Amino acid sequence: MNPTVFFKGAWNALWKNKKRSLLTMVGIVIGIAAVSTIMSIGRGFENYVMESLNPDAGELLTVDIQFTADDLDWMDETNDPFYSEMDLQMIRNISGVQEAEIYQANSDYVSVTTMVAGEETYLDVVMTEDKGRPVIAGRSIDMLDNGNENRVAVVPFSVVEDRFETEKEAVGRGITLDGQLYTIVGIYESELDSSGLLSSFMAEEIELPKNSYQRYHESDMVEDTVTVTVSRGSLPSDIAEEAIAILEEDGSMRTMGKYDHFDMSALDDGISEVLGGITLFIASVAGISLFIAGIGVMNMMYISVSERTKEIGIRRALGASQRSIRAQFVLEGVLMTSIGGVIGYLLGLLFSSIAAALLPFSVGVDLVTVLISLGVSSLVGLIFSYAPANAASKKEIIEII
């Protein structure tokens, strides 16, 4: 039979029972809309995360090489550098390395130890370079304190209330932070609720001049990481493995521990795989509605076969083969679910656009999502309409008469 005749006959059959066909499509529309929306948002979120992790255009990739001592207590207590200038030079001489330098941690926010109520506790430190926070007693830290590297601090009264009765009494007294003595010049009102549920897990903040902390504390810190900038066209993992091999053979700390590396590209691959898996899982759950819709398609097709028994008998009498009868009914099911898939995808695109307006990332048209939506909807029609179509093709003229 001519394919045009096939499609025309399938369309006429669906149009003849358009209300029933439309209601049967509802499940397909909902399922495809849900799946396409979830996949579009998932891929948009995945791209958003990857863009936030990867460097901006024009920047070079980096890889971090870390040293871990066999004796962790020694590692915490030693002031010996873990990387010598010779170590850095050996790494710089590797083909594909543009620069190698010791990683400098951001010290704007750090933790220090002090004694509170006779017990050693951790405090969060906030650095300031100009005007500090408002105080309820004493004065705030200013630019002169930072420029002169004064050992002064502004603390919440809750930190020293076990030693002093009032805020004013605490001003001018000393507090020891990581073994360094600081003068309390101001007291600020703490924003933490000591009776709160999470109060025991939240550290108070003290404020120090940034230059003072860098002078009296960071000189005691030993960095254990080297950041290697990789030239374009080189693989960070290959560079890292070669650098580690050199350090393990000739590094200044080769007998004291081991070297390892952290590659952002490997992290990207892992995160991308996890996000893709989560998106696929949620889309699969939403796709359960497609199975339910498929049952509805099968039920409608069985009803259609039952109602068109005479039509089948006439076509068989005119010489239509079982194959053509089967193909006719399968095409009707596939056509109906495909139309539902197109409508569902358009609705999904609309929902994705609405979601994108409320989310911090864009959701665009994705060819993979289009192909999956149309492919799945057509597959549902093919699978669930085959049994009714096969039953129609096996009807004999004698049985119909």
Side-chain angles (χ1 to χ4, degrees):
M1 183 180 289
N2 192 316
T4 305
V5 177
F6 263 117
F7 278 98
K8 185 176 181 180
W11 174 258
N12 290 336
L14 295 178
W15 186 256
K16 183 178 180 181
N17 299 286
K18 51 183 176 293
K19 289 185 179 179
R20 185 168 63 190
S21 299
L22 183 61
L23 292 175
T24 306
M25 284 185 204
V26 170
I28 298 292
V29 171
I30 294 174
I32 294 298
V35 171
S36 61
T37 301
I38 292 171
M39 292 192 67
S40 297
I41 294 176
R43 290 183 181 276
F45 179 67
E46 181 180 343
N47 293 333
Y48 173 74
V49 172
M50 292 299 103
E51 288 174 1
S52 65
L53 289 175
N54 287 318
D56 296 331
E59 293 188 4
L60 298 176
L61 292 175
T62 61
V63 59
D64 292 337
I65 299 176
Q66 298 172 329
F67 172 79
T68 303
D70 295 330
D71 186 348
L72 296 180
D73 292 335
W74 171 85
M75 185 175 179
D76 292 335
E77 296 172 0
T78 186
N79 290 327
D80 296 335
F82 293 143
Y83 297 96
S84 65
E85 184 59 36
M86 181 64 70
D87 294 337
L88 297 179
Q89 192 59 46
M90 287 190 298
I91 297 175
R92 293 184 184 118
N93 291 336
I94 297 174
S95 177
V97 172
Q98 183 156 323
E99 183 56 85
E101 55 187 359
I102 296 176
Y103 172 77
Q104 298 293 329
N106 181 9
S107 60
D108 288 343
Y109 299 93
V110 295
S111 292
V112 296
T113 58
T114 189
M115 299 297 294
V116 175
E119 296 183 359
E120 187 177 71
T121 186
Y122 285 93
L123 296 174
D124 289 338
V125 174
V126 178
M127 308 295 177
T128 183
E129 298 183 69
D130 39 45
K131 183 67 175 177
R133 69 179 69 198
V135 297
I136 56 176
R139 67 174 179 83
S140 301
I141 293 176
D142 54 30
M143 295 179 62
L144 290 177
D145 291 322
N146 187 62
N148 296 331
E149 300 177 351
N150 296 332
R151 285 196 287 189
V152 295
V154 170
V155 304
F157 185 64
S158 58
V159 172
V160 294
E161 62 183 350
D162 62 308
R163 296 166 49 196
F164 310 105
E165 294 183 358
T166 65
E167 291 87 346
K168 291 183 179 180
E169 187 178 346
V171 175
R173 302 302 180 92
I175 183 172
T176 302
L177 306 174
D178 278 352
Q180 298 289 337
L181 182 63
Y182 284 78
T183 301
I184 301 174
V185 296
I187 301 293
Y188 75 89
E189 186 174 2
S190 175
E191 297 178 355
L192 292 182
D193 181 6
S194 60
S195 62
L197 181 63
L198 300 178
S199 59
S200 59
F201 299 97
M202 301 177 67
E204 293 277 13
E205 289 184 348
I206 61 175
E207 192 174 46
L208 301 178
K210 187 172 184 177
N211 290 347
S212 302
Y213 181 85
Q214 291 177 340
R215 175 178 179 181
Y216 296 106
H217 294 270
E218 289 198 342
S219 59
D220 298 331
M221 297 174 62
V222 180
E223 303 295 347
D224 63 349
T225 303
V226 168
T227 299
V228 180
T229 303
V230 181
S231 302
R232 301 189 190 282
S234 300
L235 292 176
S237 57
D238 292 345
I239 297 295
E241 290 173 2
E242 186 174 353
I244 289 175
I246 292 175
L247 291 173
E248 288 177 344
E249 183 176 352
D250 299 316
S252 58
M253 286 288 171
R254 61 186 181 279
T255 61
M256 301 299 294
K258 59 183 179 180
Y259 299 91
D260 199 358
H261 77 279
F262 173 78
D263 184 3
M264 181 61 75
S265 62
L267 177 64
D268 289 352
D269 293 340
I271 292 179
S272 178
E273 185 176 348
V274 170
L275 292 177
I278 293 175
T279 300
L280 185 59
F281 172 74
I282 297 176
S284 299
V285 173
I288 294 176
S289 61
L290 292 175
F291 177 80
I292 299 174
I295 300 298
V297 171
M298 180 182 290
N299 181 59
M300 176 190 167
M301 295 304 297
Y302 270 119
I303 294 174
S304 180
V305 169
S306 177
E307 292 177 345
R308 295 160 62 185
T309 300
K310 291 184 178 180
E311 176 191 332
I312 296 171
I314 294 172
R315 292 182 60 187
R316 289 299 306 277
L318 294 176
S321 64
Q322 290 186 348
R323 183 178 179 182
S324 64
I325 298 292
R326 185 188 302 113
Q328 179 69 42
F329 281 93
V330 168
L331 183 58
E332 290 179 18
V334 171
L335 183 61
M336 178 173 56
T337 55
S338 297
I339 294 173
V342 172
I343 297 174
Y345 177 76
L346 294 176
L347 284 177
L349 191 60
L350 175 62
F351 296 151
S352 299
S353 301
I354 295 174
L358 304 175
L359 297 172
F361 54 85
S362 60
V363 179
V365 178
D366 187 273
L367 181 59
V368 175
T369 305
V370 175
L371 295 177
I372 289 177
S373 299
L374 299 181
V376 169
S377 59
S378 300
L379 187 61
V380 168
L382 178 63
I383 293 175
F384 287 93
S385 64
Y386 182 81
N390 192 51
S393 68
K394 291 183 178 180
K395 288 183 177 293
E396 298 293 339
I397 301 177
I398 298 177
E399 294 178 6
I400 296 173
I401 295 176

